Amino acid sequence: MRAADFIVQSLKAHGVKRVYCVPGESYLALLDALHDSDITVIVCRDEGGAGFMAVAEAKMTGQPAVVLASRGPGAANVSIAVHTAEQDAVPLIVMLGQVSREERLRGTFQELDYTQVFGTIAKAVHEIADPRKLPELLPRGFNIAQKGVPGPVVFSFPEDILYDEIEGNADLVFSLPLVQHAPVLIPQLQRLIDAAERPLIMAGGRLRSPEGKTALKRFAEAQRVPVAVTWKNQDVFDNASPLYAGHVGSGNPEAHKALLKEADLIIAVGTRLTDFATFNYTLPQLPEPIQTFIHIYPDAEALGRVYATDLAVVAEPAGVLHDLAQTARVGSSARESWISRISTYISDYTAFAPRNPSDGVDFGEVIMALAAHAPKNCVVTTDAGNMSTWVHRHWKMSTDNMLIGAISGAMGIGVPAAIAASINFPERMAICIVGDGGVLMTGNELATAVAFGATPKIVIADNGIYGTIRTHQERAFPGRVSGTNLVNPDFAMWASSFGADVFQLSLGDDVEGTVANFLTSPKLAVLHVKSSAKALSAFGSLKT
């Protein structure tokens, strides 16, 4: 068969149901091979948007997702998704066109050396100049993307090899290594937990699967240990539980940080513990935590890399937590007092109080209305920016929800992620929370939503500024606004042009009623909120 047909057959063998792309002449044969397959080709409007959709799918399913892009400019555009996949530990397969073998190394039109471009952010970069290597390198790439710390793998195909005839087993799939803990570790872990008066779990995205969420819940309840969820992983534990210790990320009050730092045992499970997940490496404190520190992750590379550990366990965290949950513990008075203090603080901290700003809608009121009226199993996607802080602080998510955001902090992921959620899970409502900055980066993908029958609900916080940057600017250079004001289009007309149902909120409008009506739309819908710039985030106000 042609190499292009071999690639498509291998994608099917690896369970790929759809690919996201912007078409390009450098991989026409691959597009032709997809024509007769049952793999759906989701045609997007920008490679960054296509890549974000693939990243979101991989986050939601836990399986590698695939994005295709053409050489040169297409590859450069998709690099934002490659970086996000690396930062977020997401298994992403990127397939890029390349100039023909004869033209390589001549500085040919749109030629890039992908090993140089992606070498520092991808787990592997394979340029396959010899099609006979396809039977080996394709399954190897899928294996690399998934094992250990998941991440992006880039394939580069010189366009002429796609037409070469090759032989080999296109159905070959490399098995993933089993990462299991030794049962002898369980008593050792249990002794450390029993010795603690103020233990704290820090739970990460590796627990997003149903098995992971269930194991975390059972362990926390059986062992009486509070759970703090790391940056953008709010959905792994029930936010209404008395054991919920809050979302650890950006903007948390000093009182919240101080309380959690009183822990005498930290159990980090399913997280690499990067800066946003640790209050900038202060919970635990690097390089030597003041607490007893247990770190459980399925890749030894992530263990002992930044922190000294008392016990580092290379294992799938769900299995460890499942075993520890088998023996319930009766909480000591000190343990129960610790739980009570955290629960009381979180109850007050997550309670919402309107601010009644005079320059626009309090966006917190919009988020509270969404939380009240949205289906309990909705998917929520958040773009980068202050508008997401109300979600993290006040929306009490359960494990029935799915929260998708970029740990990398990349603007523009919100809309494509919601579209991918609607395509992958059409039976569930997908709600995107995005600012006026992020929506104009990838909002053009609403055309993709319409083309493929996706019906996400897009909520735009329009306050006319790059809010997060303005926050930092006012802190560093108060009163000296430079480069952070925006001139926006009429978002209602813009959304209408795609065929979306449009709803609007301005100061004084009925927030509750408008949000309820917005969520009942059966099609793609956009809620344009003229939000307050002064009431900028769930943690603070803009004074100028």
Side-chain angles (χ1 to χ4, degrees), residues 234 239-240 244-247 253 256 342-355 362 364-365 367-369 371 389-397 537-540:
Q234 192 174 340
N239 299 181
Y244 180 60
H247 176 260
H256 189 199
I342 288 178
S343 181
T344 299
Y345 177 85
I346 292 298
S347 179
D348 293 340
Y349 167 63
T350 57
F352 175 73
R355 297 190 205 169
D362 183 342
E365 291 192 46
I367 294 300
M368 296 311 294
T389 60
W390 281 280
V391 174
H392 299 315
R393 181 170 181 176
H394 299 297
W395 192 323
K396 289 183 170 60
M397 293 194 176
S537 82
F539 300 112

Side-chain angles (χ1 to χ4, degrees), residues 102-364:
E102 180 185 358
E103 294 174 326
R104 282 289 277 125
L105 305 178
R106 292 177 177 169
T108 303
F109 176 67
Q110 296 185 338
E111 180 181 2
L112 284 176
D113 184 339
Y114 296 127
T115 60
Q116 295 290 319
V117 173
F118 295 106
T120 62
I121 52 175
K123 291 186 74 176
V125 182
H126 296 311
E127 181 157 302
I128 303 179
D130 183 349
R132 292 174 297 179
K133 293 289 185 70
L134 283 170
E136 170 190 350
L137 292 180
L138 286 174
R140 181 194 296 178
F142 272 86
N143 185 272
I144 290 171
Q146 295 175 83
K147 68 183 180 182
V149 179
V153 170
V154 176
F155 288 103
S156 165
F157 303 116
E159 60 181 305
D160 55 321
I161 80 149
L162 296 174
Y163 298 88
D164 286 357
E165 296 289 327
I166 69 165
E167 295 180 356
N169 180 11
D171 294 327
L172 179 64
V173 175
F174 290 175
S175 298
L176 291 171
L178 294 176
V179 186
Q180 295 180 322
H181 60 283
V184 69
L185 284 173
I186 298 301
Q188 189 176 355
L189 285 164
Q190 190 64 68
R191 284 193 293 272
L192 292 174
I193 296 168
D194 287 345
E197 293 184 346
R198 300 179 304 281
L200 178 70
I201 301 168
M202 300 187 69
R206 193 77 179 190
L207 293 166
R208 177 163 281 123
S209 68
E211 297 79 12
K213 291 179 177 182
T214 298
L216 176 61
K217 176 181 185 294
R218 290 178 177 170
F219 166 74
E221 292 177 351
Q223 298 275 352
R224 304 296 293 159
V225 182
V227 177
V229 291
T230 57
W231 182 238
K232 300 293 183 182
N233 294 307
Q234 192 174 340
D235 53 329
V236 301
F237 192 73
D238 183 2
N239 299 181
S241 167
L243 292 169
Y244 180 60
H247 176 260
V248 176
S250 177
N252 298 63
E254 290 302 319
H256 189 199
K257 298 176 185 179
L259 176 61
L260 297 187
K261 288 176 184 178
E262 289 184 34
D264 58 2
L265 168 67
I266 292 177
I267 311 168
V269 286
T271 172
R272 289 176 288 177
L273 285 186
T274 53
D275 53 340
F276 267 51
T278 59
F279 299 138
N280 199 27
Y281 300 111
T282 64
L283 182 71
Q285 178 178 295
L286 68 76
E288 186 177 9
I290 61 174
Q291 303 91 351
T292 302
F293 181 45
I294 299 169
H295 199 172
I296 305 169
Y297 198 80
D299 190 338
E301 181 66 24
L303 304 176
R305 182 172 182 267
V306 178
Y307 299 100
T309 58
D310 292 279
L311 185 59
V313 181
V314 182
E316 282 295 346
V320 179
L321 296 181
H322 174 270
D323 285 0
L324 287 167
Q326 300 310 303
T327 305
R329 288 295 196 264
V330 177
S332 65
S333 58
R335 180 81 60 89
E336 292 305 313
S337 174
W338 169 241
I339 292 170
S340 177
R341 287 177 59 207
I342 288 178
S343 181
T344 299
Y345 177 85
I346 292 298
S347 179
D348 293 340
Y349 167 63
T350 57
F352 175 73
R355 297 190 205 169
N356 302 312
S358 59
D359 65 325
V361 175
D362 183 342
F363 197 67

